[in-house]
Amino acid sequence: MQEIETARLYLRQFTPYDLDELYRIYSDAEIMKYLRGVKTREETEIALHTMLKSWEENNFGMWALVHKIDRKMIGRCGLNFLEKTPEVQLGYALDKVYWNQGLATEASLASLNYGFQILNLERIVAIALPENITSQRLMQKVGMKYEKNAHYYETDVVYYSISRESYQSKVVL
């Protein structure tokens, strides 16, 4: 089982026992505003199963983010395949109680490091709705650059990317 420790977080693989906490996050309209809306418990269970399957099949996926002090699962962050492409994308969702503390950035940097150092990926992408300025700022903070407007998951998005070479030259962990 893959796990990563950062200054304030544990990134661990999800387990079926995380369903209640993940549902608490996925059912919050404010958290899910830019992530295709709230999910039902059944949709959350399907999403959890998909995350578990990704680890089995690809050796990467979304991590459960556990806050070291609270010992509470506070969100998810990690890598998965961008819809209908072979590209690997960074994704994240964080409980709103923990917003504006740099935790999503911390988890994203750990995920990028895993992608480039462990998986030897050449490039990682990320997308966001154009109005999701906070997410775009996070992408920029971790060294990603705007590349284009695109259309994924049945919606218009902005598309950012970072290469391994660029990551290694700019990011110090």
Side-chain angles (χ1 to χ4, degrees):
M1 222 174 171
Q2 296 288 344
E3 292 189 4
I4 296 175
E5 182 176 346
T6 68
R8 298 175 291 166
L9 298 168
Y10 295 110
L11 285 71
R12 63 161 173 80
Q13 286 180 249
F14 276 96
T15 73
Y17 300 107
D18 292 315
L19 178 60
D20 289 340
E21 286 301 304
L22 188 62
Y23 176 62
R24 182 182 54 75
I25 291 166
Y26 278 11
S27 63
D28 186 301
E30 192 175 359
I31 295 169
M32 299 302 288
K33 179 179 179 180
Y34 298 118
L35 298 172
R36 300 188 326 209
V38 298
K39 292 192 183 318
T40 65
R41 187 172 178 82
E42 183 180 334
E43 289 168 331
T44 303
E45 194 168 5
I46 292 167
L48 179 59
H49 176 74
T50 301
M51 288 187 270
L52 295 171
K53 192 174 175 187
S54 176
W55 278 103
E56 289 173 19
E57 294 177 355
N58 307 308
N59 197 33
F60 65 86
M62 289 290 152
W63 277 287
L65 302 181
V66 178
H67 194 269
K68 282 184 174 180
I69 294 172
D70 299 347
R71 298 281 180 192
K72 181 177 176 185
M73 199 274 283
I74 63 167
R76 62 149 174 88
C77 182
L79 306 171
N80 61 17
F81 285 110
L82 181 61
E83 178 189 53
K84 299 177 185 167
T85 75
E87 293 185 295
V88 175
Q89 73 172 338
L90 172 68
Y92 37 82
L94 194 64
D95 186 332
K96 63 188 174 199
V97 173
Y98 298 88
W99 287 357
N100 301 311
Q101 298 176 34
L103 294 168
T105 301
E106 192 173 311
S108 294
L109 286 169
S111 297
L112 290 174
N113 192 60
Y114 182 83
F116 291 126
Q117 302 301 323
I118 305 300
L119 301 174
N120 294 312
L121 297 173
E122 288 299 322
R123 180 176 132 99
I124 297 173
V125 304
I127 61 169
L129 294 175
E131 61 270 23
N132 190 348
I133 303 304
T134 303
S135 188
Q136 291 178 60
R137 282 194 192 121
L138 186 151
M139 292 176 205
Q140 293 162 5
K141 272 189 215 173
V142 300
M144 295 183 136
K145 301 285 183 218
Y146 170 80
E147 209 171 288
K148 63 185 177 181
N149 290 335
H151 192 84
Y152 292 100
Y153 306 102
E154 300 175 12
T155 192
D156 292 331
V157 296
V158 290
Y159 176 105
Y160 283 69
S161 70
I162 186 170
S163 68
R164 179 184 4 201
E165 182 181 341
S166 177
Y167 174 81
Q168 290 174 336
S169 71
K170 292 179 183 175
V171 177
V172 178
L173 291 176

